[in-house]
Amino acid sequence: GEDGLVCIWDIRTAVCQRKLKLPSAVNSVTLHPDQTVLFVGQENTSCSYWDLRQNKEVVIHKNMTKEGSIQSVSVNNIASQLCAIDNKGLLRLWDIKDMSQPKCVTSEQCHLTRGLKCTFSPDCETIATTSSDTTARLWNITEDGIVLDKTFSTPDQKWVWDAVFSTDSQFLFTASSDGTVRLWDSQVAGTPKQEYAAHQKAVVSIAFWDREAANFYSKENSTESES
């Protein structure tokens, strides 16, 4: 929150279990796949992580840009890379396979105006970024960094606040200030496959739940428990 606190809540009792106090406002958090580390993007452009086992903050990068703020952080599904985008449209990508020594892979000017969201595709091959420039962009991850693949926009689209991939990485959902959620084919540049325009005001956050994938993993976990 703006008070610089990161809180962990027990959703069953609505009780805050742990708190971490940081030096500036917190704009974004994301959990490491092994659930022992919480990555944090701060208003003072610092990117850090909270080691939940040792209960301490470790700074990955301090003051990413002058007079900027980190807007979004994301870690990929195999916990090998972390990315963060700031309000200047700058995206930084780290190799975090060795958490004791995160390595900056690249720093890329993904947008010329405010960056709003960055997120990895489930297959860990692509990063989606969104911006106040009314676009969402897909970036292919290479050994040396990232390369622009596609830009998604429409004449009516305004600020794009959020983006989320489908489980198979085939599709991308975006949320915009024009009150519309759009569905894009991540493999094909062009117009959206579907538009969901039921809101009168801005849509600033979305989440996607894949029922078939959830049922599959539920059955798989149940089988493992029985065995």
Side-chain angles (χ1 to χ4, degrees), residues 128-152:
T129 62
T130 72
S131 171
S132 61
D133 65 7
T134 76
T135 71
R137 293 178 177 172
L138 296 184
W139 303 82
N140 290 333
I141 301 172
T142 67
E143 291 185 1
D144 300 322
I146 58 175
V147 177
L148 180 62
D149 179 32
K150 296 177 183 69
T151 297
F152 296 133

Side-chain angles (χ1 to χ4, degrees), residues 25-193:
V26 176
N27 290 336
S28 180
V29 296
T30 190
L31 187 64
H32 190 286
D34 70 6
Q35 300 186 21
T36 62
V37 169
L38 195 64
F39 296 98
V40 183
Q42 299 180 53
E43 186 75 22
N44 66 359
T45 73
S46 293
C47 187
S48 61
Y49 67 86
W50 180 9
D51 187 323
L52 300 177
R53 293 166 297 188
Q54 300 183 34
N55 197 34
K56 69 175 184 178
E57 180 198 12
V58 178
V59 176
I60 297 175
H61 194 95
K62 192 173 183 180
N63 299 328
M64 199 161 95
T65 54
K66 292 182 179 180
E67 300 180 357
S69 64
I70 293 181
Q71 299 298 301
S72 176
V73 292
S74 178
V75 61
N76 67 7
N77 286 341
I78 58 175
S80 64
Q81 292 183 317
L82 172 76
C83 67
I85 195 167
D86 70 8
N87 65 337
K88 306 294 185 181
L90 179 72
L91 182 131
R92 198 177 292 271
L93 178 68
W94 292 274
D95 183 324
I96 58 168
K97 289 189 287 291
D98 181 357
M99 286 292 293
S100 65
Q101 293 183 318
K103 177 184 177 183
C104 182
V105 177
T106 189
S107 180
E108 187 76 28
Q109 192 70 49
C110 292
H111 301 271
L112 296 180
T113 60
R114 179 181 291 268
L116 297 173
K117 180 65 180 285
C118 60
T119 185
F120 286 96
S121 60
D123 62 12
C124 305
E125 295 180 356
T126 306
I127 296 174
T129 62
T130 72
S131 171
S132 61
D133 65 7
T134 76
T135 71
R137 293 178 177 172
L138 296 184
W139 303 82
N140 290 333
I141 301 172
T142 67
E143 291 185 1
D144 300 322
I146 58 175
V147 177
L148 180 62
D149 179 32
K150 296 177 183 69
T151 297
F152 296 133
S153 186
T154 71
D156 299 327
Q157 189 164 264
K158 297 182 180 179
W159 286 30
V160 184
W161 286 94
D162 201 0
V164 61
F165 284 94
S166 60
T167 308
D168 60 4
S169 304
Q170 177 71 35
F171 300 100
L172 182 74
F173 293 88
T174 59
S176 173
S177 288
D178 61 17
T180 303
V181 173
R182 292 177 173 86
L183 173 64
W184 309 85
D185 187 333
S186 66
Q187 307 302 313
V188 181
T191 58
K193 292 183 68 66

